[in-house]
Amino acid sequence: MEAILTECVQNSLRHFMYRNAIFMCERLCAEFPSETNSQLLAVCYLQNNQAYSAYHILKGNHMAHSRYLFAQSCFKMDLLNEAEAALCPPNESSAEIPNGAAGHYLLGLIYRCTDRRKSAIYHFNQALSLDPLLWAAYEELCILGAAEEAATVFGDAASLCIQKQHLPHGLGSKSMQASAEDQGLISSRNVGAEDLSPRHLKNIHGNSQRDAAGNYHSAPQPGGTGSQPLNGGPTTLSFYSTPSPMAAASQLSGVAPPPICRNMQINGPNSCATGADSSPRSTVNSTIQAPRRKFVDEGKLRKVSGRLFADSAPRRSIRLATGDSVANTNSNVSTVSGNGTNHSSKYLGGSKIATGSVRPVTGRKGQSWSNENFDEGIKHDGYDDSRNSSTTCSSPSSESRSLDQEGPTSAAGVCLSGSRVAVGASDLLALLRILGEGYRLSCGYRCQDALDVYVKLPQKQYNTGWVLSQVGKAYFEMVDYVEADHAFNLARLASPYSLEGMDVYSTVLYHLKEDMKLSYLAQELISTDRLAPQSWCAMGNCYSLQKDHETALKNFQRAVQLDSRFAYAHTLCGHEYVALEDFENGIKSYQSALRVDTRHYNAWYGLGMVYLRQEKFEFSEHHFRMAFQINPRSSVIMSYLGTALHALKRNKEALEIMEKAIMADKKNPLPLYQKANILVTVENFDGALEVLEELKEYAPRESSVYALMGRIYKRRDMYDKAMLHFGLALDMKPSATDVATIKAAIEKLHVPDEIEDNL
């Protein structure tokens, strides 16, 4: 009876029938009470998003897997101290972290959420040493800014670890020896492979005995239940997501893993050919998880005239921006959204999506994709799988029988299996090296380098929602909103059900002032998953674009309510509070974002802007410098850091940082304008006029540029030119406050004693 009930529960979990699983598992626990069966019941509740039920069932249990499941429950309930105590009992300093790599990963998340960065980095590295395919751990290291190069993490040591995990015990040593001769061939196929340091090799071999017991690939299942897959993979996909209909369908981790011998055929299509593209489709899909990406909405430049006139208020919420005033007057958006270089067709093809083709990406180097689409790739892969399984590759059971029957020839079968595993591991790690290096560079805000890495991917991997979203984020950070829009649009076509990067996409549309597209996107996301914070961030951006800041704030607060660990939602709340002149709550929101993620530099920038407006220049300079340390390539952050230094009378430092900002993005008008302001302060009028003449090319209808030129000519007693430029400034239709200030300057045109006060 116990076996029948257990199989029934497992079958229900496999088919997402969680209510039935819970009911039958309660019968199982009542009839055969044991800690193992309690674990299975806890898994049922966790799969049904009832962490509180699993918490009460597992509390007080001491088996390793029970401790892990209890820690999972505590983490989902935000009981971080209890979760840590479950994984690391305070009275048992020598106790081993349960469930190997998965346990270390969960503990790393706990330490990260409690702002213990060094401990988090240590446990994420431990998780990767135990399971090189735990992509989520590498993702977290990238987010923390502590990831090693992908070629090091996914190198030869990782390949050996994967081979050991995916071969049956007893065959592993033979196949390792047999496949050692193939390492030269494999190494030559590894793109950018590098040797691991002795420290990493030592970690791999030192933990070899724990791998077999702790890792989810070969961990024993208590009582034959389906709970053990929680050890390392699918159930720990995202601790930052809230329950949703879309996400619930993807969590099939309560199901027992397939027999270990089946993993010898992980090479996907053409798994028996050493020269084929044999990375396993299922493994790649499970490793390329959508990250919780942090970003800065870098592009929305506050009306530059506000820096000229002290009493001029910002016209929009405080977001990092460079194209506000220019975008309103320039019909060609791309002229103000670039970063000094043209990326329009280098990676994503033209900015228009080709009709009749799901994948219009045509500009990849040396490749032509005009005759392919996503459906074709899927069809061919499926055909290759069936062909290989039916013609060249034997089933696990028949292979086992042949090894027993053939006797002397069984060694050849072991060698062949070892070669298959080695080649499959090599191909998979080669893919992860490209993805990992691109993501690491992106998290370090080396966006152009990241784009150069991503284009090395096979086209079927490049044209996935996750990769295209990363490409869109990279263009977004480079303030190239047109290309970012194009990339995100392709991501939506590739994965219309995915919410990865959609909060960024909504901010891209916000800066492009695409109110119709933004409204449509917000409605689509809400209909897809109304319990996801990305959906409500998009809705909030939609209202913010319409200047309805109170409604926008409510939507951003809803996103925070759904996921309190979503840092960008806190930052967007801060932007709306600042737009409503509620600086106190704005500061609190930015600080909440930093408690979630100390490297979320938008929040540092937001705090700097608040203190700049409050004329607390020392505080402002500190926070801008913190943002600059995290993202040293942002022209906007450098511009405002220079502004704070100028306010502190540190003009030499301010000019140096402005020069760096201009070099970082030559089409950003803000650093040019601020440089002219600083030159006027030091009475270098000729230099200021030269800079303003250059600025007129990028912002030909910016009233503050002409107003500043008028003040310079007035300062040099050239009243006719001063009056001309003041008149041109009024013709640009500035804000009411700016109009009043310019008219006052005209009235005092012949009163030189008050010039410096107004400047």
PDB file of all heavy atoms in Angstrom, residues 3-18 20-21 24-25 28 40 43-44 221-229 252 254-257:
ATOM      1  N   ALA A   3       3.865   1.638  -1.198  1.00  0.00           N
ATOM      2  CA  ALA A   3       4.470   1.836  -2.508  1.00  0.00           C
ATOM      3  C   ALA A   3       3.454   2.381  -3.510  1.00  0.00           C
ATOM      4  O   ALA A   3       3.779   3.240  -4.339  1.00  0.00           O
ATOM      5  CB  ALA A   3       5.065   0.524  -3.010  1.00  0.00           C
ATOM      6  N   ILE A   4       2.218   1.887  -3.424  1.00  0.00           N
ATOM      7  CA  ILE A   4       1.182   2.360  -4.350  1.00  0.00           C
ATOM      8  C   ILE A   4       0.883   3.832  -4.106  1.00  0.00           C
ATOM      9  O   ILE A   4       0.779   4.633  -5.047  1.00  0.00           O
ATOM     10  CB  ILE A   4      -0.093   1.504  -4.190  1.00  0.00           C
ATOM     11  CG1 ILE A   4       0.184   0.068  -4.628  1.00  0.00           C
ATOM     12  CG2 ILE A   4      -1.240   2.100  -4.997  1.00  0.00           C
ATOM     13  CD1 ILE A   4      -0.965  -0.883  -4.385  1.00  0.00           C
ATOM     14  N   LEU A   5       0.744   4.209  -2.828  1.00  0.00           N
ATOM     15  CA  LEU A   5       0.471   5.608  -2.508  1.00  0.00           C
ATOM     16  C   LEU A   5       1.629   6.513  -2.940  1.00  0.00           C
ATOM     17  O   LEU A   5       1.415   7.610  -3.474  1.00  0.00           O
ATOM     18  CB  LEU A   5       0.213   5.765  -1.008  1.00  0.00           C
ATOM     19  CG  LEU A   5      -1.151   5.298  -0.505  1.00  0.00           C
ATOM     20  CD1 LEU A   5      -1.199   5.330   1.023  1.00  0.00           C
ATOM     21  CD2 LEU A   5      -2.255   6.184  -1.074  1.00  0.00           C
ATOM     22  N   THR A   6       2.846   6.054  -2.714  1.00  0.00           N
ATOM     23  CA  THR A   6       4.011   6.855  -3.103  1.00  0.00           C
ATOM     24  C   THR A   6       4.041   7.077  -4.604  1.00  0.00           C
ATOM     25  O   THR A   6       4.272   8.196  -5.085  1.00  0.00           O
ATOM     26  CB  THR A   6       5.309   6.162  -2.649  1.00  0.00           C
ATOM     27  OG1 THR A   6       5.297   6.015  -1.224  1.00  0.00           O
ATOM     28  CG2 THR A   6       6.534   6.959  -3.070  1.00  0.00           C
ATOM     29  N   GLU A   7       3.795   6.009  -5.363  1.00  0.00           N
ATOM     30  CA  GLU A   7       3.785   6.139  -6.821  1.00  0.00           C
ATOM     31  C   GLU A   7       2.650   7.048  -7.279  1.00  0.00           C
ATOM     32  O   GLU A   7       2.808   7.828  -8.218  1.00  0.00           O
ATOM     33  CB  GLU A   7       3.641   4.757  -7.453  1.00  0.00           C
ATOM     34  CG  GLU A   7       3.541   4.767  -8.972  1.00  0.00           C
ATOM     35  CD  GLU A   7       4.762   5.398  -9.633  1.00  0.00           C
ATOM     36  OE1 GLU A   7       5.865   5.344  -9.038  1.00  0.00           O
ATOM     37  OE2 GLU A   7       4.609   5.946 -10.741  1.00  0.00           O
ATOM     38  N   CYS A   8       1.516   6.974  -6.601  1.00  0.00           N
ATOM     39  CA  CYS A   8       0.386   7.841  -6.950  1.00  0.00           C
ATOM     40  C   CYS A   8       0.743   9.310  -6.736  1.00  0.00           C
ATOM     41  O   CYS A   8       0.431  10.169  -7.570  1.00  0.00           O
ATOM     42  CB  CYS A   8      -0.835   7.462  -6.115  1.00  0.00           C
ATOM     43  SG  CYS A   8      -2.274   8.504  -6.406  1.00  0.00           S
ATOM     44  N   VAL A   9       1.404   9.597  -5.612  1.00  0.00           N
ATOM     45  CA  VAL A   9       1.803  10.980  -5.331  1.00  0.00           C
ATOM     46  C   VAL A   9       2.796  11.464  -6.380  1.00  0.00           C
ATOM     47  O   VAL A   9       2.675  12.579  -6.911  1.00  0.00           O
ATOM     48  CB  VAL A   9       2.397  11.088  -3.909  1.00  0.00           C
ATOM     49  CG1 VAL A   9       2.980  12.476  -3.681  1.00  0.00           C
ATOM     50  CG2 VAL A   9       1.340  10.784  -2.864  1.00  0.00           C
ATOM     51  N   GLN A  10       3.775  10.622  -6.694  1.00  0.00           N
ATOM     52  CA  GLN A  10       4.765  11.011  -7.698  1.00  0.00           C
ATOM     53  C   GLN A  10       4.112  11.265  -9.051  1.00  0.00           C
ATOM     54  O   GLN A  10       4.445  12.226  -9.750  1.00  0.00           O
ATOM     55  CB  GLN A  10       5.830   9.927  -7.828  1.00  0.00           C
ATOM     56  CG  GLN A  10       6.739   9.804  -6.617  1.00  0.00           C
ATOM     57  CD  GLN A  10       7.765   8.702  -6.802  1.00  0.00           C
ATOM     58  OE1 GLN A  10       7.650   7.890  -7.724  1.00  0.00           O
ATOM     59  NE2 GLN A  10       8.752   8.661  -5.922  1.00  0.00           N
ATOM     60  N   ASN A  11       3.190  10.420  -9.410  1.00  0.00           N
ATOM     61  CA  ASN A  11       2.505  10.577 -10.691  1.00  0.00           C
ATOM     62  C   ASN A  11       1.685  11.862 -10.719  1.00  0.00           C
ATOM     63  O   ASN A  11       1.641  12.565 -11.734  1.00  0.00           O
ATOM     64  CB  ASN A  11       1.612   9.367 -10.946  1.00  0.00           C
ATOM     65  CG  ASN A  11       0.989   9.403 -12.336  1.00  0.00           C
ATOM     66  OD1 ASN A  11       1.676   9.343 -13.342  1.00  0.00           O
ATOM     67  ND2 ASN A  11      -0.340   9.501 -12.372  1.00  0.00           N
ATOM     68  N   SER A  12       1.043  12.190  -9.603  1.00  0.00           N
ATOM     69  CA  SER A  12       0.269  13.431  -9.530  1.00  0.00           C
ATOM     70  C   SER A  12       1.173  14.647  -9.661  1.00  0.00           C
ATOM     71  O   SER A  12       0.823  15.631 -10.329  1.00  0.00           O
ATOM     72  CB  SER A  12      -0.507  13.486  -8.212  1.00  0.00           C
ATOM     73  OG  SER A  12      -1.453  12.433  -8.127  1.00  0.00           O
ATOM     74  N   LEU A  13       2.347  14.586  -9.030  1.00  0.00           N
ATOM     75  CA  LEU A  13       3.289  15.700  -9.155  1.00  0.00           C
ATOM     76  C   LEU A  13       3.789  15.839 -10.589  1.00  0.00           C
ATOM     77  O   LEU A  13       3.952  16.949 -11.089  1.00  0.00           O
ATOM     78  CB  LEU A  13       4.472  15.503  -8.202  1.00  0.00           C
ATOM     79  CG  LEU A  13       4.180  15.632  -6.705  1.00  0.00           C
ATOM     80  CD1 LEU A  13       5.416  15.279  -5.890  1.00  0.00           C
ATOM     81  CD2 LEU A  13       3.719  17.049  -6.369  1.00  0.00           C
ATOM     82  N   ARG A  14       4.008  14.704 -11.235  1.00  0.00           N
ATOM     83  CA  ARG A  14       4.475  14.760 -12.614  1.00  0.00           C
ATOM     84  C   ARG A  14       3.460  15.420 -13.533  1.00  0.00           C
ATOM     85  O   ARG A  14       3.827  16.060 -14.509  1.00  0.00           O
ATOM     86  CB  ARG A  14       4.788  13.350 -13.131  1.00  0.00           C
ATOM     87  CG  ARG A  14       6.164  12.825 -12.758  1.00  0.00           C
ATOM     88  CD  ARG A  14       6.498  11.582 -13.556  1.00  0.00           C
ATOM     89  NE  ARG A  14       5.654  10.455 -13.225  1.00  0.00           N
ATOM     90  CZ  ARG A  14       5.924   9.562 -12.275  1.00  0.00           C
ATOM     91  NH1 ARG A  14       7.019   9.685 -11.552  1.00  0.00           N
ATOM     92  NH2 ARG A  14       5.101   8.559 -12.039  1.00  0.00           N
ATOM     93  N   HIS A  15       2.200  15.276 -13.181  1.00  0.00           N
ATOM     94  CA  HIS A  15       1.139  15.816 -14.038  1.00  0.00           C
ATOM     95  C   HIS A  15       0.524  17.080 -13.449  1.00  0.00           C
ATOM     96  O   HIS A  15      -0.577  17.478 -13.828  1.00  0.00           O
ATOM     97  CB  HIS A  15       0.056  14.753 -14.265  1.00  0.00           C
ATOM     98  CG  HIS A  15       0.535  13.574 -15.057  1.00  0.00           C
ATOM     99  ND1 HIS A  15       1.108  12.463 -14.467  1.00  0.00           N
ATOM    100  CD2 HIS A  15       0.561  13.339 -16.402  1.00  0.00           C
ATOM    101  CE1 HIS A  15       1.441  11.591 -15.407  1.00  0.00           C
ATOM    102  NE2 HIS A  15       1.129  12.102 -16.586  1.00  0.00           N
ATOM    103  N   PHE A  16       1.226  17.710 -12.509  1.00  0.00           N
ATOM    104  CA  PHE A  16       0.811  18.995 -11.939  1.00  0.00           C
ATOM    105  C   PHE A  16      -0.538  18.928 -11.229  1.00  0.00           C
ATOM    106  O   PHE A  16      -1.222  19.945 -11.100  1.00  0.00           O
ATOM    107  CB  PHE A  16       0.765  20.091 -13.015  1.00  0.00           C
ATOM    108  CG  PHE A  16       2.023  20.188 -13.818  1.00  0.00           C
ATOM    109  CD1 PHE A  16       2.098  19.639 -15.088  1.00  0.00           C
ATOM    110  CD2 PHE A  16       3.143  20.810 -13.310  1.00  0.00           C
ATOM    111  CE1 PHE A  16       3.259  19.717 -15.838  1.00  0.00           C
ATOM    112  CE2 PHE A  16       4.304  20.897 -14.051  1.00  0.00           C
ATOM    113  CZ  PHE A  16       4.368  20.350 -15.307  1.00  0.00           C
ATOM    114  N   MET A  17      -0.904  17.774 -10.763  1.00  0.00           N
ATOM    115  CA  MET A  17      -2.163  17.627 -10.022  1.00  0.00           C
ATOM    116  C   MET A  17      -1.844  17.717  -8.530  1.00  0.00           C
ATOM    117  O   MET A  17      -1.834  16.725  -7.806  1.00  0.00           O
ATOM    118  CB  MET A  17      -2.836  16.306 -10.383  1.00  0.00           C
ATOM    119  CG  MET A  17      -3.198  16.199 -11.856  1.00  0.00           C
ATOM    120  SD  MET A  17      -4.117  14.708 -12.284  1.00  0.00           S
ATOM    121  CE  MET A  17      -2.929  13.434 -11.896  1.00  0.00           C
ATOM    122  N   TYR A  18      -1.569  18.939  -8.083  1.00  0.00           N
ATOM    123  CA  TYR A  18      -1.054  19.127  -6.735  1.00  0.00           C
ATOM    124  C   TYR A  18      -2.099  18.832  -5.652  1.00  0.00           C
ATOM    125  O   TYR A  18      -1.765  18.308  -4.595  1.00  0.00           O
ATOM    126  CB  TYR A  18      -0.529  20.557  -6.579  1.00  0.00           C
ATOM    127  CG  TYR A  18       0.602  20.876  -7.529  1.00  0.00           C
ATOM    128  CD1 TYR A  18       0.580  22.034  -8.305  1.00  0.00           C
ATOM    129  CD2 TYR A  18       1.685  20.015  -7.680  1.00  0.00           C
ATOM    130  CE1 TYR A  18       1.610  22.328  -9.183  1.00  0.00           C
ATOM    131  CE2 TYR A  18       2.716  20.289  -8.556  1.00  0.00           C
ATOM    132  CZ  TYR A  18       2.670  21.441  -9.301  1.00  0.00           C
ATOM    133  OH  TYR A  18       3.688  21.723 -10.169  1.00  0.00           O
ATOM    134  N   ASN A  20      -4.457  16.629  -5.754  1.00  0.00           N
ATOM    135  CA  ASN A  20      -4.526  15.178  -5.606  1.00  0.00           C
ATOM    136  C   ASN A  20      -3.287  14.645  -4.900  1.00  0.00           C
ATOM    137  O   ASN A  20      -3.370  13.740  -4.058  1.00  0.00           O
ATOM    138  CB  ASN A  20      -4.681  14.517  -6.973  1.00  0.00           C
ATOM    139  CG  ASN A  20      -4.970  13.029  -6.861  1.00  0.00           C
ATOM    140  OD1 ASN A  20      -6.056  12.635  -6.426  1.00  0.00           O
ATOM    141  ND2 ASN A  20      -4.014  12.192  -7.240  1.00  0.00           N
ATOM    142  N   ALA A  21      -2.129  15.207  -5.234  1.00  0.00           N
ATOM    143  CA  ALA A  21      -0.891  14.773  -4.581  1.00  0.00           C
ATOM    144  C   ALA A  21      -0.948  15.033  -3.084  1.00  0.00           C
ATOM    145  O   ALA A  21      -0.544  14.183  -2.271  1.00  0.00           O
ATOM    146  CB  ALA A  21       0.300  15.496  -5.209  1.00  0.00           C
ATOM    147  N   MET A  24      -3.490  12.478  -1.414  1.00  0.00           N
ATOM    148  CA  MET A  24      -2.974  11.118  -1.313  1.00  0.00           C
ATOM    149  C   MET A  24      -1.761  11.041  -0.388  1.00  0.00           C
ATOM    150  O   MET A  24      -1.564  10.039   0.319  1.00  0.00           O
ATOM    151  CB  MET A  24      -2.608  10.591  -2.703  1.00  0.00           C
ATOM    152  CG  MET A  24      -3.769  10.534  -3.683  1.00  0.00           C
ATOM    153  SD  MET A  24      -5.190   9.581  -3.063  1.00  0.00           S
ATOM    154  CE  MET A  24      -4.487   7.934  -3.021  1.00  0.00           C
ATOM    155  N   CYS A  25      -0.952  12.088  -0.367  1.00  0.00           N
ATOM    156  CA  CYS A  25       0.217  12.063   0.514  1.00  0.00           C
ATOM    157  C   CYS A  25      -0.191  12.183   1.980  1.00  0.00           C
ATOM    158  O   CYS A  25       0.472  11.625   2.869  1.00  0.00           O
ATOM    159  CB  CYS A  25       1.178  13.191   0.135  1.00  0.00           C
ATOM    160  SG  CYS A  25       2.856  12.914   0.723  1.00  0.00           S
ATOM    161  N   LEU A  28      -0.947   8.781   2.907  1.00  0.00           N
ATOM    162  CA  LEU A  28       0.305   8.048   3.076  1.00  0.00           C
ATOM    163  C   LEU A  28       0.922   8.320   4.442  1.00  0.00           C
ATOM    164  O   LEU A  28       1.341   7.387   5.143  1.00  0.00           O
ATOM    165  CB  LEU A  28       1.280   8.450   1.962  1.00  0.00           C
ATOM    166  CG  LEU A  28       2.709   7.895   2.054  1.00  0.00           C
ATOM    167  CD1 LEU A  28       2.701   6.382   1.904  1.00  0.00           C
ATOM    168  CD2 LEU A  28       3.597   8.534   0.988  1.00  0.00           C
ATOM    169  N   LEU A  40       7.951  14.130   1.534  1.00  0.00           N
ATOM    170  CA  LEU A  40       7.177  14.101   0.297  1.00  0.00           C
ATOM    171  C   LEU A  40       5.958  15.003   0.400  1.00  0.00           C
ATOM    172  O   LEU A  40       5.619  15.726  -0.545  1.00  0.00           O
ATOM    173  CB  LEU A  40       6.760  12.669  -0.023  1.00  0.00           C
ATOM    174  CG  LEU A  40       5.975  12.473  -1.330  1.00  0.00           C
ATOM    175  CD1 LEU A  40       6.759  12.995  -2.520  1.00  0.00           C
ATOM    176  CD2 LEU A  40       5.635  11.001  -1.525  1.00  0.00           C
ATOM    177  N   VAL A  43       7.059  18.521  -0.020  1.00  0.00           N
ATOM    178  CA  VAL A  43       7.305  18.825  -1.427  1.00  0.00           C
ATOM    179  C   VAL A  43       5.999  19.152  -2.144  1.00  0.00           C
ATOM    180  O   VAL A  43       5.927  20.090  -2.947  1.00  0.00           O
ATOM    181  CB  VAL A  43       8.018  17.644  -2.112  1.00  0.00           C
ATOM    182  CG1 VAL A  43       8.049  17.831  -3.619  1.00  0.00           C
ATOM    183  CG2 VAL A  43       9.427  17.486  -1.576  1.00  0.00           C
ATOM    184  N   CYS A  44       4.961  18.403  -1.843  1.00  0.00           N
ATOM    185  CA  CYS A  44       3.655  18.668  -2.463  1.00  0.00           C
ATOM    186  C   CYS A  44       3.176  20.083  -2.139  1.00  0.00           C
ATOM    187  O   CYS A  44       2.688  20.806  -3.014  1.00  0.00           O
ATOM    188  CB  CYS A  44       2.635  17.644  -1.982  1.00  0.00           C
ATOM    189  SG  CYS A  44       2.972  15.940  -2.487  1.00  0.00           S
ATOM    190  N   GLN A 221      17.040   8.954  -3.257  1.00  0.00           N
ATOM    191  CA  GLN A 221      15.732   9.498  -2.927  1.00  0.00           C
ATOM    192  C   GLN A 221      15.180   8.795  -1.706  1.00  0.00           C
ATOM    193  O   GLN A 221      15.112   7.576  -1.665  1.00  0.00           O
ATOM    194  CB  GLN A 221      14.755   9.308  -4.089  1.00  0.00           C
ATOM    195  CG  GLN A 221      15.228  10.008  -5.350  1.00  0.00           C
ATOM    196  CD  GLN A 221      14.248   9.803  -6.448  1.00  0.00           C
ATOM    197  OE1 GLN A 221      13.062   9.660  -6.198  1.00  0.00           O
ATOM    198  NE2 GLN A 221      14.722   9.778  -7.666  1.00  0.00           N
ATOM    199  N   PRO A 222      14.783   9.548  -0.710  1.00  0.00           N
ATOM    200  CA  PRO A 222      14.262   8.916   0.497  1.00  0.00           C
ATOM    201  C   PRO A 222      12.958   8.198   0.232  1.00  0.00           C
ATOM    202  O   PRO A 222      12.006   8.783  -0.242  1.00  0.00           O
ATOM    203  CB  PRO A 222      14.067  10.116   1.443  1.00  0.00           C
ATOM    204  CG  PRO A 222      13.944  11.301   0.555  1.00  0.00           C
ATOM    205  CD  PRO A 222      14.772  10.994  -0.646  1.00  0.00           C
ATOM    206  N   GLY A 223      12.958   6.936   0.547  1.00  0.00           N
ATOM    207  CA  GLY A 223      11.725   6.167   0.449  1.00  0.00           C
ATOM    208  C   GLY A 223      11.191   6.035  -0.942  1.00  0.00           C
ATOM    209  O   GLY A 223      10.026   5.751  -1.131  1.00  0.00           O
ATOM    210  N   GLY A 224      12.042   6.277  -1.933  1.00  0.00           N
ATOM    211  CA  GLY A 224      11.580   6.172  -3.316  1.00  0.00           C
ATOM    212  C   GLY A 224      10.643   7.270  -3.721  1.00  0.00           C
ATOM    213  O   GLY A 224       9.955   7.181  -4.708  1.00  0.00           O
ATOM    214  N   THR A 225      10.587   8.355  -2.964  1.00  0.00           N
ATOM    215  CA  THR A 225       9.653   9.421  -3.272  1.00  0.00           C
ATOM    216  C   THR A 225      10.218  10.306  -4.344  1.00  0.00           C
ATOM    217  O   THR A 225      11.368  10.212  -4.726  1.00  0.00           O
ATOM    218  CB  THR A 225       9.363  10.252  -2.012  1.00  0.00           C
ATOM    219  OG1 THR A 225      10.566  10.944  -1.675  1.00  0.00           O
ATOM    220  CG2 THR A 225       8.898   9.391  -0.880  1.00  0.00           C
ATOM    221  N   GLY A 226       9.385  11.230  -4.787  1.00  0.00           N
ATOM    222  CA  GLY A 226       9.820  12.161  -5.821  1.00  0.00           C
ATOM    223  C   GLY A 226      10.303  13.464  -5.265  1.00  0.00           C
ATOM    224  O   GLY A 226      10.301  14.456  -5.954  1.00  0.00           O
ATOM    225  N   SER A 227      10.717  13.500  -4.026  1.00  0.00           N
ATOM    226  CA  SER A 227      11.097  14.776  -3.438  1.00  0.00           C
ATOM    227  C   SER A 227      12.533  15.149  -3.682  1.00  0.00           C
ATOM    228  O   SER A 227      12.906  16.287  -3.548  1.00  0.00           O
ATOM    229  CB  SER A 227      10.850  14.743  -1.923  1.00  0.00           C
ATOM    230  OG  SER A 227      11.627  13.712  -1.328  1.00  0.00           O
ATOM    231  N   GLN A 228      13.363  14.202  -4.029  1.00  0.00           N
ATOM    232  CA  GLN A 228      14.792  14.474  -4.061  1.00  0.00           C
ATOM    233  C   GLN A 228      15.227  15.472  -5.112  1.00  0.00           C
ATOM    234  O   GLN A 228      16.211  16.148  -4.922  1.00  0.00           O
ATOM    235  CB  GLN A 228      15.561  13.165  -4.240  1.00  0.00           C
ATOM    236  CG  GLN A 228      17.044  13.284  -3.960  1.00  0.00           C
ATOM    237  CD  GLN A 228      17.328  13.636  -2.529  1.00  0.00           C
ATOM    238  OE1 GLN A 228      16.467  13.473  -1.688  1.00  0.00           O
ATOM    239  NE2 GLN A 228      18.499  14.141  -2.252  1.00  0.00           N
ATOM    240  N   PRO A 229      14.553  15.633  -6.237  1.00  0.00           N
ATOM    241  CA  PRO A 229      15.031  16.609  -7.202  1.00  0.00           C
ATOM    242  C   PRO A 229      15.102  18.024  -6.670  1.00  0.00           C
ATOM    243  O   PRO A 229      15.655  18.874  -7.309  1.00  0.00           O
ATOM    244  CB  PRO A 229      14.015  16.505  -8.344  1.00  0.00           C
ATOM    245  CG  PRO A 229      13.567  15.101  -8.271  1.00  0.00           C
ATOM    246  CD  PRO A 229      13.521  14.784  -6.802  1.00  0.00           C
ATOM    247  N   LEU A 252       8.490  21.454 -12.280  1.00  0.00           N
ATOM    248  CA  LEU A 252       8.243  20.020 -12.293  1.00  0.00           C
ATOM    249  C   LEU A 252       9.337  19.333 -11.506  1.00  0.00           C
ATOM    250  O   LEU A 252       9.789  18.271 -11.857  1.00  0.00           O
ATOM    251  CB  LEU A 252       8.208  19.525 -13.735  1.00  0.00           C
ATOM    252  CG  LEU A 252       7.821  18.055 -13.979  1.00  0.00           C
ATOM    253  CD1 LEU A 252       6.468  17.758 -13.387  1.00  0.00           C
ATOM    254  CD2 LEU A 252       7.856  17.728 -15.445  1.00  0.00           C
ATOM    255  N   GLY A 254       9.375  18.205  -8.444  1.00  0.00           N
ATOM    256  CA  GLY A 254       9.041  17.199  -7.465  1.00  0.00           C
ATOM    257  C   GLY A 254       9.034  15.809  -8.055  1.00  0.00           C
ATOM    258  O   GLY A 254       8.678  14.842  -7.395  1.00  0.00           O
ATOM    259  N   VAL A 255       9.408  15.692  -9.308  1.00  0.00           N
ATOM    260  CA  VAL A 255       9.372  14.411  -9.991  1.00  0.00           C
ATOM    261  C   VAL A 255      10.719  13.727  -9.849  1.00  0.00           C
ATOM    262  O   VAL A 255      11.767  14.364  -9.876  1.00  0.00           O
ATOM    263  CB  VAL A 255       9.047  14.629 -11.491  1.00  0.00           C
ATOM    264  CG1 VAL A 255       8.874  13.301 -12.183  1.00  0.00           C
ATOM    265  CG2 VAL A 255       7.802  15.478 -11.626  1.00  0.00           C
ATOM    266  N   ALA A 256      10.695  12.426  -9.714  1.00  0.00           N
ATOM    267  CA  ALA A 256      11.943  11.684  -9.584  1.00  0.00           C
ATOM    268  C   ALA A 256      12.763  11.830 -10.847  1.00  0.00           C
ATOM    269  O   ALA A 256      12.233  11.830 -11.950  1.00  0.00           O
ATOM    270  CB  ALA A 256      11.647  10.205  -9.336  1.00  0.00           C
ATOM    271  N   PRO A 257      14.088  11.996 -10.711  1.00  0.00           N
ATOM    272  CA  PRO A 257      14.930  12.137 -11.903  1.00  0.00           C
ATOM    273  C   PRO A 257      14.998  10.839 -12.680  1.00  0.00           C
ATOM    274  O   PRO A 257      14.746   9.761 -12.135  1.00  0.00           O
ATOM    275  CB  PRO A 257      16.304  12.508 -11.309  1.00  0.00           C
ATOM    276  CG  PRO A 257      16.284  11.912  -9.940  1.00  0.00           C
ATOM    277  CD  PRO A 257      14.872  12.004  -9.474  1.00  0.00           C
TER     278      PRO A 257
END
